[in-house]
């Protein structure tokens, strides 16, 4: 028995940490129940989190009235719509130019363009902007360098 009292049991610290981590992970998983159900709940919570109209959680709770999923889908749809509109306009650029030219040739549009130009020229004489600034640099007597 005397020999057992003098025995030194050394266990590698990494082995202890590994066993501890595994035991802790298993305990957490067991406490949470099914991993898939837990992950599903986390994802559902993240997708339905209330955000502002930019998709960010605002400091003001009254701004957080949309779900993250709704805002994200809206952004994607708008981006796709912009891309489709740009493609359509690029494909029909010549037609668009001819229609714009035809509209500008109409008498009511010609006079509206001329009136806008004249009004802009007249208004430019009504405004006079000046800017002046005075800068003074004084040395403070009580400061030490």
């Amino acid at each position: 028995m005397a020999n057992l009292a003098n025995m030194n049991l050394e266990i590698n610290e990494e082995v202890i940490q590994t066993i501890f981590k595994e035991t802790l992970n298993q305990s957490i998983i067991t406490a949470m129940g099914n991993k898939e159900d837990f992950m599903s709940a986390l994802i559902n919570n993240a997708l339905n989190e209330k955000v502002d109209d930019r998709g960010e959680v605002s400091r003001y709770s009254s701004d957080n009235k949309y779900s993250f999923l709704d805002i994200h889908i809206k952004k994607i749809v708008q981006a796709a719509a912009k891309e489709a509109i740009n493609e359509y306009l690029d494909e029909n650029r010549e037609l668009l130019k001819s229609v714009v030219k035809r509209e500008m040739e109409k008498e009511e549009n010609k006079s509206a363009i001329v009136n806008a130009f004249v009004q802009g020229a007249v208004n430019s004489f009504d405004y006079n902007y000046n800017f002046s600034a005075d800068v003074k640099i004084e040395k403070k007597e009580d400061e030490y360098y």
Side-chain angles (χ1 to χ4, degrees), residues 65-114:
K65 49 189 165 187
Y66 309 101
S67 77
F68 172 79
L69 183 61
D70 290 341
I71 295 299
H72 189 64
I73 289 173
K74 178 181 174 183
K75 287 179 181 180
I76 298 297
V77 169
Q78 286 177 338
K82 285 179 185 178
E83 189 175 321
I85 291 167
N86 288 339
E87 285 177 14
Y88 177 81
L89 292 176
D90 285 343
E91 291 170 1
N92 295 289
R93 184 174 300 278
E94 292 304 316
L95 174 63
L96 183 62
K97 281 172 40 177
S98 66
V99 171
V100 169
K101 286 179 182 178
R102 187 171 55 233
E103 286 299 313
M104 289 177 65
E105 291 297 323
K106 290 183 179 177
E107 201 56 44
E108 63 270 13
N109 291 337
K110 280 183 182 179
S111 58
I113 292 171
V114 170

